[in-house]
Every structure is written in structure tokens, then in C-alpha cells.
Amino acid sequence: MVYLQYAPRILRQNKIFHHPLFYAAQGVRYRKLEVILTTTIDKLGKAGETVKVAPGHFRNHLMPKLLAVPNIDKFAYLINEQRKIYQPKEVEEVKVVPKTEEDTLKEYRTAARRLENAKLVLRRYIKIDTELRTPVDKDEIISEVARQIGVHVAPENLQLETPLSSLGEFEVPLRLPKSLPLPEGKVNWTLTVKIRKK
């Protein structure tokens, strides 16, 4: 044989012959195998999906435990039929529960309590003495209230005529529903905003 001349001496002495296609098929182990999952497996896929896995993983783990079957027409048909029988399509029902006035009033009360007890602290750079580089406007206060206190305040509920332009503590008036009882000792609802030097 022609390829025997180039074989190593040991192979020639023991007269072990390897077919040339043996070397050509060495890349087979790096190929992926398409399988159909019979059950949902984390980080691999859901039941009924076709996924690619290593042949060894399929042979040693998935096939013996019947977690997957080879991707051929017969198995694909069987799995589709089983899914039709055992897993009828679930219809999600979304029920919209209308909010009552009591629910909205409760939400307003909890939000008002949080605003009453909270102090909004903002840190800003200053220009000269106590004057801020950039004034604090209504939109910035609303976003900080949502971030720090966790309460959404509508722009029309915050009454800030002019932006805050100096360091210090300010009482910003709030407009809340009249049905909410005011805290003791207060004439109207306010939000305490403290601006500190950065």
C-alpha cells in the first residue's frame, strides 16, 4: 500500500493499518447534534424546542434520562402530538379591576404620609457664597422625589413659582386633595427640600 511507506516505523513493524478516512473524520467530535427536548432544561431550552448539543452530552446524559430525542421526523411528529394532547394551549386571562375611590384615597394617604415625614436632600455646586451654579427647578424636584422618596408627584401638584437658587432648607407647597386631613400644626401640605454644598 502506498500510505504504508509514510507510516511511522512502529506501525510498519506491528502492521497496524489505519484507513486514511480515519484522520479525515477527526473533526466529527466538534460538531453539534440537533435534538428535540422532551422536558424543559435550564440554560438549554423549553420542552419541544430543537437545540444543538454535543453528541457526548446527548448520548451520556440526555438520552438515557429521556430528556431529549434525536431530531428526526418520527420523533418530531410524536412530540407534537403529545404536546397537543397533554399540554392544551393556556389562555391567559387578564382581569382589569377598576379602582374605587377608596383605593385612590388610600394611595393618596400613604403618599402624603411619606411626603410629610421625608426630607428631600439635594447636593449642588455653588458659585459664590450660597448661590448655586444651576438653580433647582420643578422637574428636578419631581424626579428626585420619585427617586429618593418613591412617590410620584404630578407637576401640577407641586407649586414652585421660581427655581431654588441658593443653599438652605425650603418648604415647597404641595396641592393635594382636600379630602386628605392635614397634619397637626400645618396650614397646608409642604415638601421639605434641603440643598447642600457638593
Side-chain angles (χ1 to χ4, degrees):
M1 294 196 157
V2 178
Y3 64 90
L4 188 59
Q5 295 173 6
Y6 302 105
R9 245 186 222 160
I10 300 167
L11 289 178
R12 270 189 266 146
Q13 288 172 354
N14 296 334
K15 296 190 179 184
I16 298 172
F17 299 113
H18 289 289
H19 197 274
L21 290 176
F22 173 78
Y23 295 105
Q26 286 297 312
V28 170
R29 67 180 178 167
Y30 298 109
R31 291 189 190 145
K32 296 282 186 177
L33 185 69
E34 278 195 1
V35 296
I36 303 169
L37 297 175
T38 56
T39 56
T40 302
I41 301 172
D42 289 341
K43 298 181 182 176
L44 198 56
K46 294 181 180 178
E49 284 184 0
T50 304
V51 294
K52 288 188 175 186
V53 295
H57 181 60
F58 172 70
R59 182 180 61 245
N60 298 329
H61 179 68
L62 299 175
M63 190 172 64
K65 294 182 180 179
L66 296 175
L67 299 174
V69 291
N71 186 19
I72 54 178
D73 294 336
K74 176 174 73 172
F75 288 120
Y77 178 76
L78 284 173
I79 290 203
N80 283 336
E81 291 300 312
Q82 281 182 345
R83 289 184 79 198
K84 285 178 189 173
I85 294 168
Y86 295 111
Q87 292 179 352
K89 288 185 179 178
E90 296 178 9
V91 178
E92 288 186 24
E93 290 185 29
V94 179
K95 292 182 180 178
V96 178
V97 180
K99 278 191 178 181
T100 61
E101 282 188 35
E102 284 182 25
D103 294 338
T104 53
L105 198 58
K106 263 187 189 176
E107 285 179 16
Y108 282 140
R109 280 189 191 128
T110 54
R113 265 190 245 117
R114 290 180 84 178
L115 288 171
E116 176 192 346
N117 299 328
K119 182 185 283 188
L120 190 69
V121 179
L122 303 171
R123 295 186 179 274
R124 295 290 176 264
Y125 289 111
I126 56 170
K127 256 200 275 186
I128 305 164
D129 294 331
T130 60
E131 191 179 337
L132 300 177
R133 279 191 195 172
T134 55
V136 178
D137 60 344
K138 186 190 270 191
D139 295 333
E140 199 169 351
I141 291 174
I142 290 170
S143 65
E144 284 297 316
V145 166
R147 189 179 70 80
Q148 290 183 23
I149 304 170
V151 176
H152 176 73
V153 178
E156 60 270 7
N157 291 350
L158 190 72
Q159 295 179 318
L160 184 69
E161 285 80 25
T162 58
L164 307 174
S165 58
S166 63
L167 295 178
E169 198 166 305
F170 303 94
E171 294 287 327
V172 179
L174 291 169
R175 183 186 299 159
L176 295 178
K178 291 182 180 180
S179 57
L180 292 175
L182 285 166
E184 289 182 26
K186 286 198 175 183
V187 181
N188 56 6
W189 288 99
T190 57
L191 172 67
T192 308
V193 179
K194 186 170 187 175
I195 301 175
R196 290 183 178 173
K197 185 168 75 169
K198 210 172 200 182

